[in-house]
């Protein structure tokens, strides 16, 4: 099973990817985790990413693609994977397709969690309030202003990506506003 999970911040991609990972016994691969691991390991890609991350920038496509390629080459990803946070642009999607083609592989599906952004902002605000209520610090990205900026950036980069996969007949839209178990059931049924 080779899947890509798309959806704006807070849509539940990580939760659903983890559930699918367990169900299909393939690794859940988060781009953020891959970049942090590459930095920690001191790989050439990781060192390139570190300087950009430390400067507060967005890591360039060639570095992100390189980190993904390094991760997909590991033995646990040979039988499949679930990508979360990659690709984010059409250029990254084309690079992923080429890497898979060279290995005579292809994606099985691209799952897009479709959500109502206003309701999602309220959900994220509630999560932050619950964390404070428990005496915990809310996640740094659980700020409404920050999350709205992230939604805007997501829309700008991913709308063309969704269209790219839709035009290839690989995009499966999932209602991400339902209960977690219902979302999982809809994904499994679609697959």
């Amino acid at each position: 099973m080779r899947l890509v999970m798309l959806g704006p911040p807070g849509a539940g991609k990580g939760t659903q990817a983890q559930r699918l990972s367990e169900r299909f016994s393939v690794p859940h691969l988060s781009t953020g985790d891959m970049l942090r691991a590459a930095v920690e390991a001191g790989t050439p890609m990781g060192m390139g990413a570190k300087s950009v991350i430390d400067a507060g920038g967005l890591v360039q496509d060639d570095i992100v693609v390189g980190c993904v390629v390094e991760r997909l080459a590991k033995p646990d990803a040979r039988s499949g994977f679930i990508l979360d946070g990659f690709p984010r642009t059409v250029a990254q999607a084309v690079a992923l397709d080429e890497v898979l083609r060279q290995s005579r592989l292809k994606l099985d599906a691209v799952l897009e969690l479709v959500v109502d952004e206003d309701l999602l902002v309220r959900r994220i605000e509630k999560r932050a309030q619950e964390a404070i209520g428990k005496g915990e610090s809310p996640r740094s990205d659980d700020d409404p202003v920050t999350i709205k900026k992230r939604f805007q950036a997501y829309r700008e980069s991913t709308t063309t990506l969704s269209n790219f996969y839709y035009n290839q007949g690989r995009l499966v839209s999932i209602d991400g506003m339902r209960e977690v178990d219902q979302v999982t059931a809809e994904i499994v049924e679609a697959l």
Side-chain angles (χ1 to χ4, degrees):
M1 184 69 60
R2 290 172 193 83
L3 304 173
V4 166
M5 299 288 296
L6 299 179
K13 295 181 304 294
T15 298
Q16 293 302 327
Q18 188 58 44
R19 286 174 164 225
L20 295 171
S21 170
E22 292 167 8
R23 182 179 188 101
F24 296 112
S25 300
V26 296
H28 165 208
L29 307 177
S30 160
T31 308
D33 291 345
M34 283 184 256
L35 289 170
R36 284 185 289 278
V39 168
E40 189 174 307
T43 68
M45 291 296 164
M47 298 322 302
K50 183 177 182 347
S51 61
V52 176
I53 293 168
D54 289 348
L58 294 174
V59 179
Q60 306 95 300
D61 282 352
D62 62 328
I63 293 174
V64 175
V65 170
C67 286
V68 171
V69 169
E70 283 179 359
R71 181 60 183 91
L72 292 179
K74 293 190 177 184
D76 68 333
R78 288 191 182 128
S79 63
F81 52 81
I82 302 167
L83 286 169
D84 169 8
F86 180 87
R88 289 200 186 262
T89 65
V90 171
Q92 290 177 358
V94 169
L96 175 62
D97 284 347
E98 180 59 22
V99 167
L100 293 174
R101 187 191 63 73
Q102 289 174 5
S103 298
R104 294 187 176 103
L105 301 171
K106 64 181 180 75
L107 290 174
D108 292 301
V110 177
L111 304 169
E112 181 175 39
L113 297 179
V114 179
V115 296
D116 179 305
E117 289 182 16
D118 291 331
L119 290 175
L120 199 54
V121 167
R122 288 198 290 274
R123 186 186 290 174
I124 291 168
E125 288 172 336
K126 180 180 176 189
R127 180 173 69 191
Q129 291 169 352
E130 288 171 353
I132 292 168
K134 294 177 187 174
E136 301 170 357
S137 295
R139 291 173 34 171
S140 61
D141 58 352
D142 278 356
D143 172 71
V145 174
T146 301
I147 199 68
K148 287 177 184 176
K149 285 180 184 176
R150 291 179 66 208
F151 284 151
Q152 179 64 29
Y154 174 80
R155 275 193 308 275
E156 288 172 1
S157 68
T158 310
T159 299
T160 55
L161 182 60
S162 295
N163 290 338
F164 173 79
Y165 283 128
Y166 175 81
N167 289 334
Q168 292 180 344
R170 295 194 278 175
L171 186 71
V172 178
S173 295
I174 303 292
D175 179 359
M177 294 306 297
R178 298 182 332 173
E179 293 297 320
V180 174
D181 290 340
Q182 292 173 322
V183 174
T184 304
E186 185 178 341
I187 291 171
V188 170
E189 183 177 325
L191 294 174

